[in-house]
Amino acid sequence: METRQDARNRRQETRNRYENLARQVGAIGAVKRGLSRALPAECPSGSAIVLALLHHHGDMRIGRVSELMAVDMSVSSRHVAHTVDRGWVERLPDPADKRSRILHLTTAGESTLADLDRRVTDMLARNLAEWSDTDVELLTTLLARLRDSFGDCRAHHA
């Protein structure tokens, strides 16, 4: 039979495990900042995210970009404007509502995104060169599982 002290110890061990996990998840910010340094100066991370979203989800309105980025419209507007100014994205009339615009990834945007993907992939390969293939696959699986456990967090920001 478990004593009160045993139960307290078990609860404390659980709490310590999740506190350690929280510290490690917080440290992911440093990894993200490191990966951002792989991006060229003319393409900050917000612009890269816009390109990736359009590539993955297809043409969309800026409101959808804001929703997917989980940011305010003013923030996504700046990122979109940056991509439009560089010719990576174009604003097209929305066939369903001529007053609205649809964002479309251009050929130049596809090319830029391919370059960004290559840069980030190369940086990951360099930084994880000492890791076994099994460890990289395990990390990938566990990060995907962690993301799935949180569901669609964006719905709470829109």
Side-chain angles (χ1 to χ4, degrees), residues 129-146:
E130 302 295 321
W131 289 41
S132 70
D133 291 345
T134 302
D135 284 348
V136 173
E137 289 173 16
L138 178 60
L139 177 63
T140 302
T141 299
L142 291 174
L143 287 172
R145 185 175 171 194
L146 177 66

Side-chain angles (χ1 to χ4, degrees), residues 85-142:
D85 290 346
R86 279 157 184 72
W88 301 332
V89 171
E90 59 186 347
R91 291 183 174 109
L92 303 173
D94 183 345
D97 180 357
K98 298 296 183 196
R99 299 167 297 170
S100 296
R101 296 283 178 238
I102 295 289
L103 302 174
H104 174 76
L105 188 61
T106 65
T107 303
E110 289 280 358
S111 177
T112 298
L113 183 60
D115 178 56
L116 300 176
D117 286 345
R118 181 192 52 75
R119 288 170 178 257
V120 169
T121 300
D122 289 350
M123 180 175 248
L124 284 168
R126 278 192 310 276
N127 284 286
L128 302 181
E130 302 295 321
W131 289 41
S132 70
D133 291 345
T134 302
D135 284 348
V136 173
E137 289 173 16
L138 178 60
L139 177 63
T140 302
T141 299
L142 291 174

Side-chain angles (χ1 to χ4, degrees), residues 43-93:
C43 188
S45 60
S47 297
I49 292 169
V50 170
L51 298 179
L53 289 174
L54 289 171
H55 176 77
H56 182 73
H57 296 282
D59 297 354
M60 67 183 79
R61 290 182 179 180
I62 194 164
R64 180 73 174 137
V65 171
S66 296
E67 179 184 323
L68 291 170
M69 290 179 76
V71 297
D72 186 74
M73 185 85 84
S74 64
V75 174
S76 63
S77 292
R78 282 194 306 275
H79 296 310
V80 167
H82 183 86
T83 63
V84 169
D85 290 346
R86 279 157 184 72
W88 301 332
V89 171
E90 59 186 347
R91 291 183 174 109
L92 303 173

Side-chain angles (χ1 to χ4, degrees), residues 1-17:
M1 179 178 256
E2 185 175 58
T3 68
R4 285 185 185 170
Q5 184 60 43
D6 290 340
R8 275 193 293 269
N9 289 344
R10 191 172 33 81
R11 284 192 303 273
Q12 187 59 46
E13 287 173 8
T14 299
R15 181 171 176 73
N16 291 344
R17 183 177 324 123

